[in-house]
């Protein structure tokens, strides 16, 4: 019996911060480890998706390598055959199937995508490329080529998931055969993966918004690649309040609450325990110092884990998995090519 398939896409991004680490990397790695027994877990580095908005192309290769190494340093297993890792562009079927499905997709369907509307609203018309527009078709192919039923989707991606289901169903009906497995509906995805997002690390300078790369000064963000001493200073300079007592209160004391959350995540202790331990303390400096020390230790440790990533093992894993993925993807592509008349 073949196992049901999970697929998700990772963005090439070497500017990861601790918010990404605890909010995205670790949950994804946990998911992969926990599900691998009963499911085939396919993790795809979405390199073709990288230039839907302009990037520095000279940096893409190092960025892809850095992203993969970050995942491995964060615990992604390289020795589990049920967890496959591959680079999208190393499986050319993604591009081929995208062209075919483009021709079965309505302009209106793509125009209605709110992510496209949001992203394109900020750009001058000549800077909006066609790839940004039909990106959901490529994303659909990422999933449909492997018959994946389960796709962890954030709220910003649920419309794209609905589109995958539509186009899969449309092709199956039009050609009167099961060309594609239809991915599960959004609600079932949430039931399967659990919608609980866990703790969300906030910006150190403005603790009312989440830690995000778009913060301009970078002072409120702890990047995984930060110099540990500099990062500790960022924590010491975190915005707090004038209440004068450590309490977990997201409304009235967002800065202190954020430090408590970071504390809990870094020490891998339950938040209530950390809160109890610090409740009522009056000197914010003590809490800051403790978190700053933890951040320093965490970054030093992460550097060491990065230095220990076995690049040869990583490359060997990628190449072996890409070979497998090509086999699966090409079989699906051939079925489609036959159905549409490109192959006898
Ligand atoms: N669009 C996803 C994101 O922005 C990344 C992605 C690309 C993806 N292809 C995918 C996610 C296929 C799930 C399935 O994060």
């Amino acid at each position: 019996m073949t196992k049901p398939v999970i697929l998700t896409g990772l963005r090439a991004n070497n500017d990861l911060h601790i918010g990404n680490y605890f909010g995205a990397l670790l949950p994804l790695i946990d998911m992969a480890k926990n599900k691998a027994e009963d499911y085939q877990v396919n993790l795809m580095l979405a390199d073709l998706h990288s230039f839907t908005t302009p990037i520095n192309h000279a940096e893409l290769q190092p960025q892809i390598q850095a992203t993969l190494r970050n995942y491995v340093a964060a615990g992604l297993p390289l020795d589990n055959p049920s967890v496959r890792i591959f680079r999208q562009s190393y499986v050319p079927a993604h591009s081929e199937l995208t062209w075919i499905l483009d021709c079965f997709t309505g302009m209106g369907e793509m125009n209605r995508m709110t992510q496209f509307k949001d992203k394109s609203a900020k750009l001058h018309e000549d800077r909006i490329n066609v790839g940004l527009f039909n990106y959901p078709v490529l994303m659909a192919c990422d999933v449909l080529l492997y018959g994946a039923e389960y796709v962890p989707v954030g709220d910003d991606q649920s419309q794209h998931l609905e589109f995958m289901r539509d186009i899969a169903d449309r092709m199956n009906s039009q050609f009167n055969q099961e060309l594609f497995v239809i991915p599960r509906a959004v609600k079932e995805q949430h039931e399967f993966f659990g919608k609980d997002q866990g703790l969300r690390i906030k910006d150190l300078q403005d603790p009312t918004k989440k830690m995000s790369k778009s913060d301009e000064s970078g002072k409120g963000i702890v990047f995984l690649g930060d110099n540990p001493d500099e990062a500790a200073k960022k924590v010491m300079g975190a915005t707090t309040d004038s209440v004068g007592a450590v309490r977990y209160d997201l409304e009235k004391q967002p800065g202190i609450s954020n430090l408590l959350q970071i504390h809990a995540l870094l020490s891998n202790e339950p938040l209530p325990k950390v809160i109890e331990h610090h409740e009522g303390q009056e000197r914010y400096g003590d809490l800051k110092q403790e978190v700053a020390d933890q951040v320093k230790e965490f970054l030093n440790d992460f550097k060491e884990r990065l230095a220990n990533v076995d690049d040869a093992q990583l490359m060997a894993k990628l190449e072996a998995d890409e070979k497998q993925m090509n086999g699966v993807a090409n079989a699906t592509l051939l079925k489609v090519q036959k159905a549409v008349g490109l192959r006898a």
Side-chain angles (χ1 to χ4, degrees):
M1 250 283 288
T2 52
K3 293 177 180 177
V5 180
I6 299 173
L7 185 134
T8 192
L10 322 173
R11 298 188 212 185
N13 175 4
N14 59 358
D15 261 355
L16 296 169
H17 51 68
I18 57 170
N20 300 132
Y21 183 86
F22 289 105
L25 266 71
L26 284 193
L28 183 95
I29 292 166
D30 281 346
M31 182 281 284
K33 287 185 184 158
N34 295 335
K35 303 280 189 202
E37 186 134 343
D38 301 315
Y39 299 85
Q40 175 61 50
V41 183
N42 297 332
L43 307 178
M44 178 194 75
L45 190 119
D47 56 358
L48 291 172
H49 284 284
S50 301
F51 17 90
T52 51
T53 49
I55 59 159
N56 180 346
H57 293 269
E59 278 172 16
L60 187 55
Q61 267 308 308
Q63 214 164 42
I64 290 168
Q65 286 304 322
T67 304
L68 291 167
R69 300 182 87 254
N70 276 325
Y71 273 92
V72 177
L76 185 68
L78 293 178
D79 56 0
N80 188 335
S82 291
V83 179
R84 289 196 193 130
I85 311 160
F86 69 106
R87 292 160 294 183
Q88 186 182 31
S89 74
Y90 282 72
V91 185
H94 290 252
S95 308
E96 289 209 33
L97 184 62
T98 298
W99 170 255
I100 297 174
L101 296 192
D102 272 346
C103 299
F104 292 83
T105 300
M107 289 278 286
E109 265 183 307
M110 293 295 101
N111 249 326
R112 284 193 288 277
M113 294 290 170
T114 49
Q115 195 181 56
F116 173 71
K117 285 194 234 173
D118 290 349
K119 287 200 174 179
S120 58
K122 292 181 213 138
L123 298 169
H124 182 275
E125 200 169 51
D126 285 334
R127 304 258 296 179
I128 305 167
N129 66 49
V130 176
L132 183 67
F133 181 70
N134 76 343
Y135 153 100
V137 181
L138 178 58
M139 186 169 160
C141 296
D142 298 339
V143 173
L144 300 178
L145 280 171
Y146 306 101
E149 280 176 78
Y150 296 101
V151 186
V153 278
D155 288 334
D156 60 333
Q157 303 289 329
S158 37
Q159 235 184 341
H160 298 162
L161 182 82
E162 283 307 330
F163 168 71
M164 280 173 208
R165 290 166 46 79
D166 289 346
I167 186 83
D169 186 48
R170 182 177 316 157
M171 296 298 286
N172 289 353
S173 317
Q174 178 161 347
F175 296 97
N176 207 13
Q177 54 180 302
E178 208 203 353
L179 293 173
F180 299 119
V181 174
I182 299 181
R184 305 281 177 129
V186 174
K187 186 164 162 276
E188 285 179 72
Q189 303 288 353
H190 289 163
E191 280 160 12
F192 183 77
F193 291 106
K195 183 107 170 53
D196 181 25
Q197 298 283 316
L199 301 180
R200 279 262 172 264
I201 293 187
K202 301 289 180 10
D203 187 279
L204 294 169
Q205 290 292 315
D206 178 358
T208 60
K209 57 174 212 201
K210 69 174 191 197
M211 193 175 274
S212 147
K213 194 169 70 168
S214 51
D215 168 75
E216 261 145 46
S217 74
K219 278 195 197 155
I221 314 171
V222 175
F223 290 103
L224 294 182
D226 271 352
N227 169 308
D229 290 312
E230 295 298 319
K233 279 189 205 146
K234 290 182 185 176
V235 176
M236 295 308 289
T239 302
T240 50
D241 54 64
S242 55
V243 175
V246 174
R247 270 192 216 109
Y248 188 76
D249 183 334
L250 290 169
E251 291 266 302
K252 294 199 193 93
Q253 299 186 251
I256 291 295
S257 304
N258 189 33
L259 290 174
L260 290 168
Q261 291 198 342
I262 296 174
H263 196 323
L265 288 168
L266 289 177
S267 56
N268 202 15
E269 278 181 25
L271 181 62
K273 200 174 150 203
V274 172
I275 295 172
E276 196 189 340
H277 186 75
H278 290 275
E279 187 105 70
Q281 283 180 356
E282 285 168 12
R283 298 215 317 239
Y284 290 172
D286 293 349
L287 175 64
K288 282 186 176 177
Q289 189 63 55
E290 222 177 302
V291 177
D293 289 345
Q294 272 185 318
V295 163
K296 220 161 107 173
E297 196 185 315
F298 170 77
L299 291 181
N300 276 322
D301 179 58
F302 191 73
K303 270 189 204 319
E304 199 178 312
R305 282 187 278 153
L306 262 184
N308 286 333
V309 172
D310 184 338
D311 289 312
Q313 190 193 9
L314 172 58
M315 278 318 291
K317 166 85 176 156
L318 282 173
E319 282 164 17
D321 287 354
E322 282 157 5
K323 208 168 155 199
Q324 298 271 341
M325 299 314 275
N326 269 296
V328 179
N330 287 339
T332 307
L333 178 64
L334 183 62
K335 270 205 292 186
V336 177
Q337 286 172 322
K338 284 183 175 165
V340 300
L342 289 169
R343 294 287 182 278

